[in-house]
Amino acid sequence: MQLRDPAHLVSPRAIVFWTVRAVPGWLLLLAGQSLWFVVTQDHVALRVAALTLTVVCAAAHLIVMPHWRYRVHRWEVTDNAVYTQSGWLTQERRITPISRVQTVDTERGPLEQIFGLANVTVTTASAAGPLRIHGLDRTVADGLVAHLTEVTSRSEGDAT
Amino acid sequence: MTVAGTQRDESWRRLSPRMLLVHPVRELGRYIPALVGLVVAGRSVGDGELWWLGPVGVVMVVALSVLRWATTRYRITPEQVQLRTGLLQRKTVATPTDRVRTVDITASPLHRLMGLARVDIGTGSHGSGAGGGSGSGLLLDSLSVGEAAALRAELLHRSVGPPFDGAVGPSLGEPGAVPFDAVSEADVPAVGEMDTELARLDPRWVRFAPFTMSGVLGAAAILGVAWNLLDQLNVTPTDVGPVRGFVDHLQRTPIWLDVTQGLIAILVAVTVISIGGYVLSYWGFRLSRHSHGSLHVTRGLLTTRATSIEERRLRGVELGEPLLLRAVHAARLSGITTGLTSKRSADGGSSLLLPPAPLVVARAVATQILRDPAPVEIPLTAHGPAARRRRFLRALLPAFLLVVAAGAAIWSGAPLWLGLAAVLTIPVAAMLAADRYRSLGHALSGGALVTQQGSLGRRRDVLECDGIIGWNLRQTFFQRRAGLSTLTATTAAGRQGYAVTDVPVSMAVSLGNHALPGLLGDFLEPEAPEVGALNGPGSRT
């Protein structure tokens, strides 16, 4: 018995977004290593090796990770349940019944606004189980929130 | 303020006036360093004309605690429990009464002397509760023992219980004359109510205390405090007479004797401390079921504690069998309660249902609580060869790395016994892995998800399927390659999520599908083995 993937992909613009978001971390590391070059003179071979390794890892990460993520990040909302899939090296699928949904939030960071993207977070009464959909197109996210709000308001109980 | 037609007293009530005796004493104790500082400062500045600084400090502290009593009020309306505090910055904390999940009544020795008890009303909101809250909920510090018990009854049994007559003023006897187990005495059931005892502390259970970690932690804490104190007082330990003699003794005797003596000393200290801790926390332990549908736990030697958990909030139990306790056939039991996050406090906190006790007792109590013996007795489904490989890989890999590191160290001049010690970790790791695999398993039984894992801290969790509010199916890169996954049942109770670790994916999906029928149905892959049937009648020749 296997689960299929959720039906919908996120916005293709998320690929660029994830790439851009990952750049500063690598730049910081490269800056640190450049500083090492400036400050000291010895261990040249070691420093060159470290720098090369960093550049290679950064390139691989920046090329592979966003596309991999794009293939993994998926979502689906039915009348009964919310189903999400996220991650790349470590992947996680989360499913919760609509009747257990407590809040639906949408959130846009500054970088996401530039790319016209939005996150949707669906929380339940469990601290272990918020469902997050990253990198949705803004209009899709707004529509999804409206839909979820409407569907969840129909179900009763305190969702615990 | 009163709603017409109800007999409830909904006016604002104060905490017990006897707090006027408890609070200042406690606050003075807390501010002793500052007060001493004030007195010293007052004496030493100039010709001592600032002598009044000390007394004024004392008066201020006392006045502040009196003010706190005078400005703190609470009331109970049919909808809400409200707590109002503060003089300049008034703060009202309100919580809906139907959200009250637990009521904890604790009494420190000082409180007990005065016949008082602290009432901690747990509402299960996440994050920090405001104001008088203690993490989540409201803290009333303090009411008289009688008031506290009446309040608890009112909050927990409000749907069926008799209305709470607000005038609980008449306190039980004189201050100081309250009997030892006043908290439970005040809980004497009224006509038509039943209080069934499920478990009571057997003093012989104290023998399990040394097999818990509490002794080790306690010893470490005491050592830490002592060290800190010596450091603060600028005392070098070797200057103290006995310590000096001890160190001299160590230097005269051979090292193996020192090690043996040291180990024995540590063992004795840990045993004594753990037994002391067990007695302090669990003395007088009693677990009972109230006919109104709640469980009551009372315990404690000096500080008494009475916890009430509504049974409809109880979603299951955790049977904890750490390796040492397992070796002496013992276990502890705690509840999985909605809105009561299992905080890992040393004595089990409010979710404790049974202190370390014989395994048979723990199982029997779990059976009575769950009203079903199956979940604690049932043999578990093992997770198969891939999970076993993963257990061994994860245990042996660090051990092998250690051996390699030790080899490198010896090569660069470290003593040989280092390598021997490193090699010895391999069989230990293998035994650990084997035990971890033996412990790993899951089952569905009596409408509950049963999951067990761990070796050093083995735990069997029984979670009602009704309490499951979603699934997280997680796969790391290596788990995907091994065809395994970790299925976490999320819940509003206890630890918030209960994991079935390293279970084959198809088994995980099938488990999720059986535990919560219907939820996964929409998302299932069409069954592969039924391909033949899909071919239609034409192909069947």
Side-chain angles (χ1 to χ4, degrees):
Chain A
M1 203 179 263
Q2 298 283 338
L3 287 176
R4 62 171 172 79
D5 285 341
H8 310 292
L9 288 165
V10 299
S11 165
R13 289 195 301 275
I15 299 177
V16 192
F17 165 69
W18 283 319
T19 315
V20 173
R21 198 184 57 174
V23 165
W26 288 110
L27 281 183
L28 205 67
L29 195 60
L30 284 175
Q33 289 186 330
S34 313
L35 202 69
W36 188 21
F37 259 94
V38 176
V39 174
T40 62
Q41 307 300 316
D42 27 276
H43 299 303
V44 177
L46 186 66
R47 278 180 291 161
V48 172
L51 194 65
T52 319
L53 189 70
T54 308
V55 170
V56 170
C57 285
H61 181 247
L62 292 178
I63 292 167
V64 172
M65 180 274 290
H67 288 89
W68 196 343
R69 267 194 194 282
Y70 180 66
R71 279 176 48 197
V72 174
H73 279 245
R74 286 167 161 269
W75 61 278
E76 184 171 348
V77 176
T78 68
D79 288 344
N80 300 319
V82 186
Y83 179 24
T84 65
Q85 177 174 293
S86 63
W88 57 298
L89 275 176
T90 294
Q91 299 178 6
E92 188 161 2
R93 288 167 160 171
R94 292 186 168 191
I95 301 175
T96 201
I98 290 281
S99 58
R100 304 291 197 167
V101 171
Q102 284 198 324
T103 64
V104 183
D105 306 322
T106 166
E107 186 187 85
R108 280 189 292 274
L111 192 60
E112 284 164 317
Q113 288 186 20
I114 296 174
F115 288 98
L117 296 172
N119 290 326
V120 171
T121 305
V122 177
T123 64
T124 63
S126 170
L131 289 78
R132 292 206 175 83
I133 312 172
H134 296 277
L136 279 178
D137 184 88
R138 236 168 87 178
T139 47
V140 174
D142 290 343
L144 178 62
V145 171
H147 175 67
L148 274 174
T149 312
E150 209 258 279
V151 179
T152 49
S153 65
R154 268 188 257 142
S155 70
E156 290 171 359
D158 72 347
T160 59
Chain B
M1 287 273 179
T2 38
V3 176
T6 61
Q7 294 300 306
R8 286 176 211 281
D9 180 358
E10 288 167 23
S11 58
W12 289 95
R13 281 178 260 163
R14 286 175 193 276
L15 303 175
S16 167
R18 267 174 269 158
M19 273 318 284
L20 289 173
L21 293 173
V22 175
H23 241 158
V25 174
R26 217 171 39 191
E27 298 283 290
L28 279 178
R30 188 178 300 166
Y31 287 110
I32 275 178
L35 291 174
V36 168
L38 273 183
V39 170
V40 171
R43 285 275 165 77
S44 54
V45 172
D47 297 330
E49 64 263 26
L50 294 179
W51 59 270
W52 45 267
L53 265 179
V56 164
V58 173
V59 170
M60 288 267 283
V61 169
V62 172
L64 274 178
S65 51
V66 170
L67 205 65
R68 201 163 110 192
W69 173 81
T71 55
T72 302
R73 278 156 212 231
Y74 71 98
R75 70 169 179 170
I76 293 149
T77 72
E79 293 83 30
Q80 285 189 324
V81 186
Q82 298 171 342
L83 176 67
R84 207 160 70 178
T85 53
L87 178 68
L88 298 176
Q89 193 182 358
R90 306 227 69 165
K91 191 147 58 181
T92 304
V93 187
T95 194
T97 36
D98 59 353
R99 287 285 162 86
V100 173
R101 270 105 203 236
T102 58
V103 178
D104 241 6
I105 299 181
T106 51
S108 70
L110 195 57
H111 281 94
R112 287 173 59 192
L113 204 64
M114 296 291 156
L116 297 172
R118 241 171 56 153
V119 182
D120 198 346
I121 302 169
T123 54
S125 56
H126 295 302
S128 58
S134 60
S136 69
L138 299 179
L139 181 65
L140 302 177
D141 185 11
S142 285
L143 309 182
S144 78
V145 168
E147 270 181 300
L151 181 62
R152 172 176 67 181
E154 149 81 353
L155 286 173
L156 287 179
H157 310 141
R158 49 183 306 108
S159 48
V160 269
F164 180 50
D165 60 332
V168 254
S171 49
L172 297 181
E174 297 299 311
V178 178
F180 162 70
D181 46 353
V183 176
S184 50
E185 295 265 305
D187 198 31
V188 170
V191 191
E193 296 178 13
M194 288 263 294
D195 196 50
T196 325
E197 182 173 296
L198 301 182
R200 177 183 279 277
L201 185 85
D202 181 336
R204 282 172 302 174
W205 296 353
V206 171
R207 70 179 187 273
F208 298 125
F211 298 95
T212 60
M213 285 304 284
S214 63
V216 180
L217 297 178
I222 289 176
L223 213 63
V225 168
W227 192 259
N228 207 353
L229 205 66
L230 287 178
D231 196 45
Q232 298 255 318
L233 296 174
N234 272 329
V235 178
T236 313
T238 46
D239 288 349
V240 183
V243 177
R244 179 79 241 169
F246 181 63
V247 170
D248 286 346
H249 169 75
L250 283 187
Q251 280 164 351
R252 279 196 306 272
T253 50
I255 187 149
W256 64 268
L257 200 61
D258 293 344
V259 171
T260 320
Q261 284 174 332
L263 281 179
I264 291 175
I266 290 174
L267 220 59
V268 168
V270 164
T271 305
V272 168
I273 291 169
S274 59
I275 288 177
Y278 193 101
V279 170
L280 279 179
S281 297
Y282 306 129
W283 199 255
F285 166 85
R286 181 175 183 271
L287 169 68
S288 63
R289 170 180 272 142
H290 197 274
S291 58
H292 274 136
S294 57
L295 295 174
H296 296 257
V297 176
T298 51
R299 61 190 172 100
L301 181 66
L302 297 177
T303 296
T304 56
R305 177 164 194 165
T307 309
S308 304
I309 302 170
E310 259 193 300
E311 275 195 89
R312 64 191 173 96
R313 307 283 187 195
L314 192 75
R315 293 304 195 180
V317 297
E318 298 173 3
L319 184 74
E321 299 172 275
L323 191 63
L324 283 177
L325 277 183
R326 203 152 23 113
V328 291
H329 303 288
R332 57 160 70 91
L333 201 66
S334 32
I336 299 175
T337 309
T338 303
L340 197 64
T341 309
S342 319
K343 270 179 265 169
R344 287 294 96 198
S345 66
D347 67 345
S350 335
S351 52
L352 175 122
L353 290 178
L354 189 72
L359 182 60
V360 278
V361 175
R363 285 195 167 153
V365 170
T367 299
Q368 281 182 294
I369 289 168
L370 299 168
R371 294 189 165 90
D372 181 6
V376 280
E377 309 283 354
I378 196 171
L380 302 176
T381 308
H383 291 180
R388 187 209 299 266
R389 269 198 301 279
R390 204 167 138 78
R391 295 275 81 74
F392 275 93
L393 196 68
R394 290 182 55 159
L396 289 178
L397 204 62
F400 278 121
L401 287 178
L402 207 65
V403 170
V404 171
I410 290 171
W411 186 66
S412 59
L416 213 62
W417 59 265
L418 201 71
L420 191 69
V423 169
L424 276 179
T425 58
I426 291 181
V428 173
M431 285 191 313
L432 194 69
D435 188 49
R436 278 170 62 82
Y437 179 70
R438 234 192 341 269
S439 298
L440 190 65
H442 71 269
L444 266 183
S445 160
L449 171 72
V450 184
T451 167
Q452 178 175 289
Q453 58 190 314
S455 169
L456 295 175
R458 182 164 104 179
R459 215 176 68 223
R460 180 183 278 224
D461 301 321
V462 179
L463 178 65
E464 270 178 31
C465 292
D466 286 347
I468 299 174
I469 60 182
W471 299 108
N472 296 350
L473 190 71
R474 186 182 168 85
Q475 288 187 293
T476 64
F477 181 72
F478 294 108
Q479 275 182 319
R480 267 205 310 286
R481 289 182 53 115
L484 299 174
S485 61
T486 295
L487 180 74
T488 303
T490 65
T491 172
R495 294 169 196 268
Q496 307 289 302
Y498 289 87
V500 184
T501 306
D502 282 343
V503 59
V505 179
S506 59
M507 208 187 257
V509 174
S510 152
L511 176 66
N513 198 28
H514 282 106
L516 287 186
L519 177 59
L520 300 184
D522 296 343
F523 308 122
L524 291 178
E525 199 92 67
E527 290 283 341
E530 290 174 40
V531 167
L534 290 176
N535 282 345
S539 64
R540 209 175 282 171
T541 47

